[in-house]
Amino acid sequence: MDEQNIIKKVDANNLKVGMYVSQFDRPWLETSFFYHKFLIKSDKQIDKIKRYCSYVYIDTTKGEDIKTSIPVTEEDKKIEVEMKEKIEDALKRNPPPEDEIDFNEEIKEAKKVHDEAKDFIRNVLDDVRLGKSISSTEAKKVVDNMTESVMRNRDALLCLTQLKKKDEYTSFHSISVSILCLAFGRHMGYQKNTLKILGLGGLLHDIGKMKIPDEVLNKAGRFTEAEFEIMKNHVIYGAEILSDTHGIHESIMEVPLQHHERYNGTGYPKGLKGDQIGVFGMLSSIADVYDAITSNRVYNTALQPQEALKRMFEWRGKDFHPLLMERFIQCVGIYPIGSVVRFQSGEVGLVMSINMMNITRPKVLIFLDASLSRINPYKMADLCSPDSSKYSIKEVLNTDKYGINIQEDFKGVLLDEHISCC
Ligand SMILES: [Fe+2]
């Protein structure tokens, strides 16, 4: 049997005792389940699943099968087609602003800005833990530089969000959410001053976590319901810390306070619904979830970027404002930055930058030849250039299956001069 056809998507109302749940329709951390993969042993468990999920994925090799469901591969193809049509159509109606300079010209400056942000956020997290105050001047300087970089070229800094470290999740996540907010805001047509507020909110959105007791914050497993309640307080603590910080614009508060609110009212702290949630709250919640589910954490394996977008596209209208979710996918692309793709020729590359004029033909750094051997130097192919017309993307690869570690394999490459152009 095809390995992908053993996982099926099942409406929560059709679940039966004996089925094996392999994935929820929402980030596992937003449920109160202790495990994210388990055998259903009672109707009580089914009732609990229904409280959180409209559907789940079941593994039919580990539990009961269902006749009426559609295998995930077919379901996914449908979602992919719908996503692509919606996004291409919307892009025609709302073309995003053009980059001022090329990716290759910006990447070195973007790396400098990213390093500066890393140093800043590490210090700030330590300071807040020790009860010290935040320097809003320094924070603004970091965000100003990130904003300028994203305005010059959107994808250089976005590309660096792929350099994640599992043991420094909070620092890297804070920077990535800020960058994603900036790129998303720029895509929405916001001006620099607005972007700077949104970016600062993104950088400091989880600052309240530093007030959560270590035993909860650093727990290497699922939270109990009581621990989850404690963890939820980080949004209030974050807003308190920022309102005590001199020189912070009031409108920033929306990001720490609302990034866990959900469109259908199931979020926290207030359970706000629909347009009760501010635009900054909605944008940052999308950026926050996208980075969280594409990051490896102690208790969670990262989804591939395209996989994450497909899931979030399904969650639109429930967790996220539907139109904003579609705009976010336009922004990060059908083959998002960080996706590893295989061409019809068999060669494999990493998506480095999106071509807004044709989102199905990104800029790709080719690093494996058709026999899956490393090439040296790596080759940058702009699939929109006439020279690269021979390249056609066949599929997105699962990096885990192919032993590709983006963090390790591309750390040096982003600044590496040993890249040739096709
Ligand atoms: Fe958070």
Side-chain angles (χ1 to χ4, degrees):
M1 192 191 287
D2 183 341
E3 191 199 330
Q4 285 166 309
N5 282 348
I6 57 181
I7 305 292
K8 290 183 177 176
K9 182 178 168 182
V10 176
D11 189 306
N13 291 312
N14 295 332
L15 285 172
K16 299 258 177 321
V17 171
M19 288 178 176
Y20 188 92
V21 175
S22 67
Q23 198 187 322
F24 295 122
D25 68 352
R26 55 173 50 238
W28 169 52
L29 282 181
E30 292 180 7
T31 74
S32 67
F33 284 94
F34 199 73
Y35 298 105
H36 59 306
K37 294 182 183 209
F38 58 91
L39 186 72
I40 302 176
K41 291 182 179 159
S42 69
D43 288 333
K44 219 169 131 190
Q45 274 178 308
I46 295 175
D47 288 342
K48 196 169 159 190
I49 294 172
K50 284 200 243 173
R51 280 214 307 276
Y52 287 101
C53 308
S54 312
Y55 61 87
V56 296
Y57 296 89
I58 61 163
D59 185 337
T60 56
T61 60
K62 294 182 176 164
E64 295 290 320
D65 200 352
I66 184 167
K67 298 276 180 297
T68 51
S69 76
I70 306 167
V72 168
T73 39
E74 288 169 35
E75 182 80 23
D76 267 4
K77 265 179 223 146
K78 261 181 12 200
I79 296 167
E80 234 173 281
V81 171
E82 192 192 347
M83 209 163 90
K84 191 166 166 279
E85 282 171 0
K86 267 201 174 352
I87 304 317
E88 284 183 332
D89 181 49
L91 269 176
K92 274 180 218 144
R93 279 182 280 115
N94 301 301
E98 281 183 27
D99 286 331
E100 290 167 15
I101 61 173
D102 191 58
F103 178 92
N104 297 340
E105 283 177 71
E106 181 57 29
I107 186 68
K108 279 195 180 174
E109 186 59 29
K111 183 78 172 81
K112 237 165 61 189
V113 169
H114 195 261
D115 283 344
E116 182 186 86
K118 269 190 296 189
D119 290 340
F120 167 77
I121 199 74
R122 281 174 183 144
N123 289 336
V124 160
L125 295 178
D126 286 343
D127 285 352
V128 173
R129 212 175 277 131
L130 295 169
K132 294 186 194 167
S133 55
I134 299 172
S135 157
S136 63
T137 316
E138 265 184 72
K140 284 178 187 167
K141 193 176 142 239
V142 166
V143 174
D144 283 359
N145 290 340
M146 291 205 289
T147 309
E148 296 297 338
S149 175
V150 168
M151 291 302 280
R152 287 189 296 267
N153 181 285
R154 202 197 59 146
D155 291 351
L157 208 45
L158 254 187
C159 201
L160 296 171
T161 61
Q162 295 307 308
L163 301 178
K164 302 164 192 251
K165 273 193 177 171
K166 195 156 124 182
D167 57 350
E168 272 191 81
Y169 173 71
T170 306
S171 313
F172 278 80
H173 174 66
S174 303
I175 299 167
S176 297
V177 169
S178 180
I179 296 170
L180 284 163
C181 281
L182 289 171
F184 193 7
R186 195 196 104 154
H187 186 82
M188 299 285 291
Y190 293 163
Q191 299 301 305
K192 266 186 202 174
N193 284 349
T194 312
L195 287 181
K196 286 176 182 176
I197 295 171
L198 180 61
L200 188 55
L203 187 65
L204 301 172
H205 77 287
D206 265 347
I207 197 80
K209 280 191 180 170
M210 297 304 106
K211 295 284 175 196
I212 300 293
D214 280 351
E215 60 274 22
V216 175
L217 186 66
N218 301 325
K219 189 178 175 187
R222 189 74 187 83
F223 295 134
T224 62
E225 290 203 24
E227 287 164 343
F228 190 37
E229 289 306 313
I230 294 172
M231 194 63 186
K232 283 179 180 177
N233 289 328
H234 79 276
V235 296
I236 306 285
Y237 296 153
E240 282 171 2
I241 293 165
L242 293 183
S243 59
D244 286 346
T245 304
H246 181 71
I248 292 274
H249 198 286
E250 209 184 309
S251 48
I252 286 173
M253 303 308 164
E254 202 171 288
V255 180
L257 261 180
Q258 295 187 358
H259 70 277
H260 286 286
E261 296 288 2
R262 294 292 176 257
Y263 192 66
N264 62 359
T266 56
Y268 63 87
K270 290 191 171 167
L272 299 176
K273 217 172 182 175
D275 294 342
Q276 289 174 329
I277 309 168
V279 177
F280 282 6
M282 294 193 205
L283 295 177
S284 59
S285 73
I286 292 174
D288 179 45
V289 170
Y290 180 67
D291 186 69
I293 63 177
T294 52
S295 301
N296 271 312
R297 285 173 285 173
V298 187
Y299 42 76
N300 212 24
T301 311
L303 289 179
Q304 306 292 314
Q306 196 194 42
E307 190 62 29
L309 287 186
K310 271 192 251 170
R311 296 287 84 85
M312 290 176 74
F313 184 71
E314 285 186 286
W315 301 337
R316 77 198 192 285
K318 187 161 66 86
D319 290 347
F320 313 114
H321 188 296
L323 290 178
L324 283 183
M325 191 59 233
E326 287 166 20
R327 296 293 305 264
F328 182 73
I329 299 172
Q330 291 164 23
C331 169
V332 292
I334 295 289
Y335 300 110
I337 290 171
S339 302
V340 174
V341 294
R342 180 162 28 205
F343 296 111
Q344 294 291 355
S345 63
E347 291 161 286
V348 173
L350 176 76
V351 175
M352 301 285 277
S353 177
I354 311 298
N355 283 312
M356 279 301 158
M357 299 320 288
N358 188 345
I359 51 172
T360 59
R361 300 206 49 89
K363 290 191 182 88
V364 180
L365 185 67
I366 302 171
F367 62 98
L368 296 180
D369 64 18
S371 62
L372 299 184
S373 303
R374 299 251 158 196
I375 58 169
N376 190 11
Y378 292 166
K379 289 188 291 184
M380 184 70 101
D382 179 349
L383 303 197
C384 272
S385 84
D387 303 344
S388 298
S389 56
K390 61 181 174 181
Y391 291 109
S392 161
I393 294 176
K394 184 184 172 200
E395 59 183 337
V396 177
L397 296 186
N398 182 328
T399 49
D400 298 335
K401 273 193 188 164
Y402 288 84
I404 297 162
N405 180 328
I406 308 253
Q407 167 70 28
E408 287 309 313
D409 295 348
F410 297 98
K411 195 162 42 180
V413 170
L414 290 167
L415 285 181
D416 202 337
E417 277 84 40
H418 304 296
I419 296 175
S420 66
C421 286
C422 296

